[in-house]
Amino acid sequence: MKKILCALALYLWLVPAWAADLQWAGTAWSIRSGAGKPCATHYANPKGAWVDAQGWLHLKLVRGADGQFACVELESRQRFGYGHYAFEVRGPIGAIDPNVVLGIFMYPTPDVGKDRTNEIDIEIARWGKPGAPQIYYTVWGREHPGARYVKFAVPENIDHSIFAFDWQPNAVTWQSPLQQGSAAGFEGDIADQPQKLHFNLWLFKQPNPANGREVEFTIKSLEPLSWMR
């Protein structure tokens, strides 16, 4: 019985819980709560996401009353398929803290594939390395393990830009003014089934931002997501 209870506790810790609903960009979202990965503190704050009167989604990495930072993640209630997805992003893009990650990504449900498969990612991160490039575009294979990615650096003072990806059968491309005309995309072994769209702001391997400060990004979808299927 003790082993069963321990296994159940581990399962509940690993499987994310989704709390309050939020309406944004023409569709419904669930806000993550409770414990679990990828946040280094293993704590998700259901109050770390909200929409303002102008339609901007706010994601905020905050320090709680106990001194511990809490990450935030949204998951779309519906699944989305092939199409063009574009988002205006405001926040410390160029000055992203080395321990902080902002993610915008398609993620498979269990019936589509396991973790680290089928993903299409936009990430603003330095992955723990001060001075490293800040922008990463990644695909995780549908059939073959491993990731393919493009990374590039932007000036430290960049705090506002547009990021988009175009997902088509067996191909994905990304676009942003920050690419300065450089192409970014991959063909072959790309997700081919509708997935849920996620937004998260989290801590990579360390329980605090390197500078110890709270972090906030705001995001606006440039097209109503209710149009996408």
Side-chain angles (χ1 to χ4, degrees):
M1 177 61 72
K2 184 176 180 181
K3 289 183 178 180
I4 293 174
L5 291 174
C6 289
L8 178 60
L10 178 60
Y11 173 80
L12 293 174
W13 181 80
L14 290 173
V15 175
W18 300 95
D21 285 344
L22 178 149
Q23 290 288 327
W24 176 69
T27 193
W29 305 80
S30 296
I31 308 174
R32 187 171 177 176
S33 65
K37 296 179 178 181
C39 187
T41 61
H42 303 299
Y43 178 60
N45 177 18
K47 296 182 179 180
W50 68 94
V51 178
D52 66 26
Q54 288 72 45
W56 287 86
L57 170 67
H58 292 247
L59 300 179
K60 191 168 185 179
L61 183 68
V62 299
R63 187 192 296 272
D66 59 357
Q68 185 177 37
F69 276 87
C71 305
V72 59
E73 182 168 355
L74 269 70
E75 178 188 74
S76 63
R77 296 289 297 274
Q78 75 175 68
R79 303 187 192 200
F80 298 100
Y82 298 136
H84 184 78
Y85 299 81
F87 305 97
E88 188 173 355
V89 177
R90 295 178 179 176
I93 296 169
I96 188 73
D97 187 279
N99 298 341
V100 174
V101 181
L102 173 71
I104 302 171
F105 57 103
M106 291 290 185
Y107 188 78
T109 49
D111 60 301
V112 172
K114 60 184 180 180
D115 186 33
R116 297 190 174 187
T117 69
N118 292 279
E119 286 189 46
I120 301 171
D121 303 343
I122 298 171
E123 289 160 316
I124 300 172
R126 283 182 159 138
W127 306 111
K129 299 177 181 179
Q134 306 99 317
I135 312 300
Y136 288 78
Y137 302 148
T138 306
V139 291
W140 291 86
R142 182 182 72 244
E143 298 178 350
H144 301 96
R148 291 168 287 171
Y149 65 90
V150 174
K151 64 179 178 180
F152 62 94
V154 300
E156 292 278 333
N157 64 352
I158 296 295
D159 61 4
H160 180 199
S161 195
I162 292 171
F163 295 92
F165 65 91
D166 191 58
W167 177 22
Q168 298 299 330
N170 223 27
V172 62
T173 58
W174 293 266
Q175 305 88 32
S176 171
L178 298 177
Q179 294 168 218
Q180 298 184 341
S182 297
F186 296 103
E187 294 184 354
D189 201 26
I190 306 294
D192 63 357
Q193 297 183 57
Q195 306 199 60
K196 292 195 172 184
L197 182 58
H198 288 242
F199 293 80
N200 61 11
L201 184 60
W202 54 284
L203 288 161
F204 176 70
K205 292 188 176 180
Q206 300 298 325
N208 306 291
N211 61 18
R213 300 173 186 167
E214 296 184 346
V215 181
E216 183 174 359
F217 279 88
T218 56
I219 303 168
K220 179 173 281 189
S221 179
L222 299 184
E223 298 176 0
L225 291 170
S226 57
W227 294 356
M228 312 298 293
R229 291 291 186 273

